[in-house]
Amino acid sequence: MSETSADEARRVLAVAAHPDDIEFGAAGTIARWTDAGADVRYVIVTSGQRGVQDPDQDPEAFGRLREEEARAAAKVCGVDQVTFLRYMDSEVAYGPRLLEDLSREFRRHQPQRLLAMSPEQLPAGGFVNHPDHRAVGAATLDVTITGGTTAAIFPDLVLREGLQPWQGLEDIWLMGLGGNDEVVDVTATFERKLAALEAHASQMAQIPRDLRELLTRWLGEVGAPHGYRYAESFRVVRRRR
């Protein structure tokens, strides 16, 4: 276990499939980074238009609500820049369109640190990873070695949009449950993580258990082996040293 200083996260791009994914996976850590002066930006591929049990709910209207919730949640963690690509929830497909759109955002934001979703179908924790998560996670990782860094891949990004490839990425952090190699003490930012999740009111109302109780147990289990009251963990890929 090694805890990386938040000072190293100068410009961070967090890419997720749905509103609330980032809050569940990394809100406590992001709050630490922004407190230390990091410039953190979010790119959210869908607007969570179908994250509701009412089949009569209009997806576009619900998506607008979830975007408002996501912006409010981001502010709790010190993040002001939130971009929505507005793919339809549960219809995200890995392919050239997604890769080009994420390559564009990678070049535009030029992150030193990339926060991404796990592309695994059966990650640790005993659950099936959502197909949108898998597609977005795989594409986010792939643009770091294809369209985000290579001019001849999606050449119109340079020729028409003036977005040069970005090769300054230093590390990639994959959000996940416990058992990962980078463990961050989020005891001091636990309440902000909770508040950020509570900003997603449309989703938290559907959780059958008390949210504070759930987070206390979950983050406590991650932190206990390392002597932290609450922690988040990540798998980290170092690109530069």
Side-chain angles (χ1 to χ4, degrees):
M1 183 275 295
S2 62
E3 186 175 339
T4 300
S5 169
D7 292 335
E8 296 182 14
R10 294 182 298 279
R11 187 166 53 251
V12 182
L13 179 62
V15 181
H18 311 108
D20 81 14
D21 288 340
I22 295 171
E23 282 72 38
F24 270 114
T29 299
I30 289 170
R32 283 194 51 166
W33 289 345
T34 59
D35 285 351
D39 176 3
V40 182
R41 298 113 180 255
Y42 293 174
V43 169
I44 303 175
V45 174
T46 81
S47 298
Q49 302 95 321
R50 290 182 172 147
V52 63
Q53 293 297 333
D54 180 2
D56 293 322
Q57 174 67 57
D58 174 56
E60 298 305 322
F62 195 66
R64 289 191 294 271
L65 169 64
R66 294 204 64 189
E67 288 187 12
E68 292 175 3
E69 293 175 343
R71 291 190 180 96
K75 285 186 179 298
V76 172
C77 295
V79 176
D80 295 319
Q81 294 194 47
V82 183
T83 300
F84 295 92
L85 302 185
R86 299 194 169 103
Y87 282 59
M88 181 52 69
D89 186 1
S90 297
E91 295 182 9
V92 180
Y94 182 97
R97 179 189 169 206
L98 180 62
L99 289 165
E100 182 173 13
D101 285 344
L102 291 180
S103 295
R104 177 183 294 107
E105 297 303 320
F106 183 81
R107 296 185 189 198
R108 184 166 73 90
H109 291 287
Q110 300 185 339
Q112 276 96 26
R113 175 165 294 165
L114 183 65
L115 183 66
M117 308 197 74
S118 171
E120 296 180 47
Q121 186 172 23
L122 297 171
F127 70 96
V128 178
N129 204 6
H130 193 289
D132 288 354
H133 295 181
R134 303 198 307 265
V136 171
T140 302
L141 291 174
D142 287 353
V143 300
T144 68
I145 56 171
T146 59
T149 57
T150 306
I153 300 175
F154 308 122
D156 282 351
L157 292 179
V158 174
L159 299 176
R160 295 188 180 182
E161 301 181 36
L163 292 171
Q164 296 294 332
W166 170 246
Q167 297 179 353
L169 184 67
E170 297 176 3
D171 48 48
I172 303 167
W173 290 45
L174 291 175
M175 294 181 279
L177 298 174
N180 293 301
D181 59 346
E182 191 80 20
V183 179
V184 179
D185 181 3
V186 298
T187 304
T189 54
F190 175 88
E191 294 297 333
R192 286 166 70 188
K193 180 181 177 80
L194 177 62
L197 280 165
E198 288 176 337
H200 294 281
S202 67
Q203 301 305 291
M204 298 309 108
Q206 301 181 59
I207 294 179
R209 294 183 57 183
D210 177 75
L211 181 60
R212 178 180 292 275
E213 176 188 345
L214 181 66
L215 287 184
T216 296
R217 179 180 60 80
W218 176 23
L219 301 187
E221 290 175 354
V222 176
H226 308 280
Y228 302 143
R229 183 176 180 184
Y230 302 121
E232 294 172 337
S233 76
F234 306 85
R235 180 179 179 185
V236 177
V237 179
R238 309 289 181 191
R239 297 293 298 275
R240 290 186 178 181
R241 295 188 182 277

